[in-house]
C-alpha cells in the first residue's frame, strides 16, 4: 500500500538538529495516552545540504503534505479511544516533552486551528471544531497576543478541544495545526523563501459510545487554504512599525483566521483541563538516529564536528480510500 524506498546511510553519530513544533502526546480528560501514541508524527524532511529539521514547515498549499504533514498518510500503530464530550488536549513541543520546553519559537506568532474528519479523509471532509487567532489586538510596539505564542506556548503546549456532542461512533482523524506568520507578510508563491509556515499534525481517534450526529460537509486539504486566503498573507509586525513608515496597504490589526467558521455542532469554547503525569518518553530519538533507522524524505546533517549523517529516500504518499486497521510500528520512532 505504501511506497517507501528506504535508503540510508552513512556513519552515524549523535548530533542535534533543529526541530520544529509537533504533537508529542494527547490527554483525554487530563489523562495522558502516552508519548507519540496515535500521532502521525512528521518525519525528518530537512533540506539536503543544510542543518535540516525533523519537520520543516509545510508552505506549499497545493501539496498533500498540508493535510497531515509529510508522510501523513502513514498510520500510527495506535488509536486513541474517546467519547463525545471528552476533553482532548494536544501536547505540542519543540525539543522535549517537558514544562521547560519552549513549545514553539517565540517569533512564530499565528493562529491555531483544529479540524476533524472521518478516517480516511474524503473530498470536503475536514470540519473545523476550534480555532483561535489574534485574541488581543496589537498595541504599538507589540505584535499583539497570538494563539501560538501567547496561548499554546505560554500554557506548556496544551491545545484544548472537545469531542463534539453526540458524534457518531467510528474512526476519525483530528487535524491540529499551528500557523506561524513571522514571514507571512508575503505569499510563498511570490517569495518562496518566505510565506506562512504550516505545522499540521494528525491524530487517529476512535469515537465509542457515540450518538447520531454526522459531520457536516467541511473542507479539503489541500484545498481549504489558498495563497491569497485572508489570514495566510498577513504582517504580524505591521503594528510594530512606526506609523511614519510608508505602506502600500494600511496596517490591519483585525486578523481573519483562515478556513471556514467553526462548526456549530462543536464546542467552540474549550477550557483547559488539569493534566495528569506524562506517560512515556519526554525526549525523542535523536534526529541522526532517526535518519539512520527510519524513512526520511530527504536529509543531510552535519554536526559541529563536520561529520555528516545523510539519508535520502523517495516517498510517494498513498492515501487509502477506505479505513485501514493500523498495523504494528513501522520504525518511524
Ligand atoms: C507544490 O506542490 C504541488 C503538488 O505536489 C507541486 O506540483 C508543486 O510543484 C509544488 N510547488 C512548489 C513551489 O514546490
Ligand atoms: C470537560 O471539561 C468541561 C469543562 O471543564 C467539564 O464540564 C466536563 O465535565 C469535562 N468532560 C469530561 C468528560 O470530563
Amino acid at each position: 500500500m505504501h511506497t517507501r524506498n528506504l535508503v540510508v546511510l552513512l556513519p552515524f553519530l549523535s548530533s542535534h538538529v533543529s526541530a520544529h513544533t509537533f504533537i508529542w502526546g494527547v490527554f483525554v480528560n487530563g489523562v495522558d495516552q502516552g508519548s507519540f501514541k496515535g500521532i502521525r508524527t512528521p518525519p525528518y524532511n530537512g533540506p539536503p545540504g543544510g542543518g535540516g529539521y525533523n519537520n520543516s514547515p509545510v508552505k506549499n498549499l497545493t501539496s498533500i503534505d498540508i493535510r497531515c504533514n509529510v508522510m501523513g498518510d502513514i498510520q500510527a500503530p495506535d488509536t486513541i479511544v474517546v467519547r463525545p464530550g471528552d476533553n482532548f488536549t494536544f501536547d505540542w513541543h519543540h525539543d522535549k516533552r517537558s514544562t521547560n520546553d519552549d513549545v514553539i519559537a517565540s517569533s512564530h506568532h499565528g493562529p491555531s486551528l483544529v479540524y476533524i474528519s472521518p478516517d480516511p479523509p474524503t473530498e470536503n471532509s475536514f470540519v473545523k471544531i476550534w480555532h483561535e487567532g489574534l485574541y488581543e489586538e496589537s498595541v504599538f510596539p507589540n505584535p499583539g497576543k497570538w494563539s501560538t505564542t501567547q496561548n499554546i506556548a505560554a500554557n506548556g503546549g496544551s491545545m484544548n478541544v472537545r469531542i463534539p456532542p453526540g458524534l457518531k461512533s467510528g474512526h476519525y482523524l483530528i487535524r491540529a495545526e499551528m500557523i506561524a506568520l513571522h514571514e507571512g507578510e508575503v505569499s510563498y508563491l511570490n517569495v518562496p523563501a518566505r510565506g506562512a509556515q504550516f505545522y499540521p499534525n494528525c491524530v487517529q481517534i476512535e469515537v465509542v459510545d457515540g450518538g447520531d450526529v454526522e459531520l457536516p460537509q467541511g473542507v479539503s486539504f489541500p484545498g481549504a487554504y489558498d495563497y491569497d486566503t485572508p489570514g495566510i498573507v498577513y504582517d504580524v509586525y505591521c503594528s510594530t512599525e512606526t506609523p511614519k513608515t510608508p505602506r502600500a496597504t494600511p496596517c490591519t490589526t483585525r486578523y481573519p483566521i483562515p478556513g471556514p467558521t467553526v462548526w456549530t455542532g462543536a464546542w467552540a469554547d474549550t477550557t483547559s483541563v488539569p493534566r495528569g503525569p506524562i506517560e512515556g518518553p519526554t525526549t525523542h530519538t535523536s534526529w541522526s538516529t532517526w535518519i539512520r533507522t527510519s524513512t526520511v524524505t530527504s536529509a543531510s546533517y552535519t554536526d559541529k564536528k563536520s561529520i555528516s549523517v545523510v539519508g535520502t529516500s523517495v516517498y510517494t504518499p498513498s492515501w487509502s480510500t477506505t479505513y485501514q486497521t493500523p498495523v504494528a510500528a513501522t520504525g518511524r520512532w
Side-chain angles (χ1 to χ4, degrees):
M1 175 121 307
H2 302 296
T3 311
R4 293 208 273 168
N5 299 324
L6 224 170
V7 190
V8 193
L9 315 159
L10 292 189
F12 154 71
L13 359 117
S14 155
S15 52
H16 296 284
V17 179
S18 305
H20 276 126
T21 194
F22 62 101
I23 298 170
W24 289 55
V26 295
F27 294 83
V28 176
N29 301 321
V31 178
D32 186 26
Q33 303 298 297
S35 298
F36 315 122
K37 299 283 188 200
I39 302 158
R40 298 193 180 177
T41 307
Y44 189 102
N45 63 341
Y53 299 100
N54 68 315
N55 58 327
S56 292
V58 178
K59 299 204 292 184
N60 183 343
L61 293 176
T62 58
S63 161
I64 191 73
D65 296 347
I66 198 72
R67 182 177 289 175
C68 288
N69 215 314
V70 176
M71 292 167 62
D73 57 317
I74 296 186
Q75 292 178 302
D78 325 273
T79 299
I80 308 297
V81 174
V82 296
R83 289 172 173 76
D86 277 354
N87 293 289
F88 197 89
T89 307
F90 302 99
D91 192 16
W92 290 83
H93 286 288
H94 192 172
D95 296 314
K96 54 185 182 236
R97 199 176 179 206
S98 150
T99 48
N100 62 357
D101 179 52
D102 67 349
V103 179
I104 187 168
S106 59
S107 62
H108 287 28
H109 306 299
S112 309
L113 311 92
V114 179
Y115 298 81
I116 189 168
S117 165
D119 181 8
T122 53
E123 190 71 14
N124 296 323
S125 68
F126 283 96
V127 174
K128 194 188 263 180
I129 56 170
W130 179 81
H131 67 192
E132 181 184 61
L134 177 65
Y135 62 89
E136 197 177 295
E137 294 205 353
S138 317
V139 179
F140 181 84
N142 300 309
K145 289 195 173 170
W146 288 89
S147 181
T148 52
T149 44
Q150 297 295 316
N151 181 3
I152 309 303
N155 287 297
S158 289
M159 182 187 282
N160 299 288
V161 291
R162 249 179 115 170
I163 305 303
L167 187 62
K168 241 178 99 178
S169 295
H171 290 98
Y172 297 85
L173 279 182
I174 304 193
R175 176 186 182 278
E177 171 180 50
M178 293 209 260
I179 305 177
L181 293 171
H182 55 295
E183 297 180 348
E185 80 290 349
V186 287
S187 159
Y188 167 72
L189 198 59
N190 296 331
V191 185
R194 299 183 70 80
Q197 301 185 353
F198 297 80
Y199 297 98
N201 269 201
C202 291
V203 179
Q204 296 164 193
I205 62 165
E206 180 181 8
V207 173
V208 299
D209 300 339
D212 309 325
V213 177
E214 304 244 13
L215 293 178
Q217 178 171 304
V219 293
S220 296
F221 286 99
Y225 306 153
D226 205 347
Y227 293 107
D228 52 13
T229 298
I232 299 290
V233 176
Y234 188 87
D235 186 353
V236 290
Y237 295 107
C238 203
S239 66
T240 71
E241 293 172 2
T242 71
K244 284 184 202 139
T245 307
R247 303 193 60 82
T249 48
C251 189
T252 40
T253 53
R254 195 170 297 270
Y255 177 70
I257 302 175
T261 54
V262 172
W263 173 38
T264 53
W267 308 86
D269 296 317
T270 55
T271 50
S272 65
V273 177
R275 304 185 346 176
I278 286 173
E279 301 292 340
T282 55
T283 55
H284 55 66
T285 309
S286 80
W287 305 129
S288 53
T289 302
W290 198 355
I291 294 168
R292 201 166 54 99
T293 60
S294 310
T295 301
V296 293
T297 53
S298 160
S300 167
Y301 177 65
T302 305
D303 78 354
K304 289 184 184 125
K305 294 183 186 123
S306 299
I307 305 172
S308 57
V309 176
V310 179
T312 56
S313 65
V314 177
Y315 177 72
T316 308
S318 154
W319 281 84
S320 175
T321 53
T322 54
Y323 178 74
Q324 306 290 317
T325 303
V327 292
T330 56
R332 258 168 107 160
W333 284 95

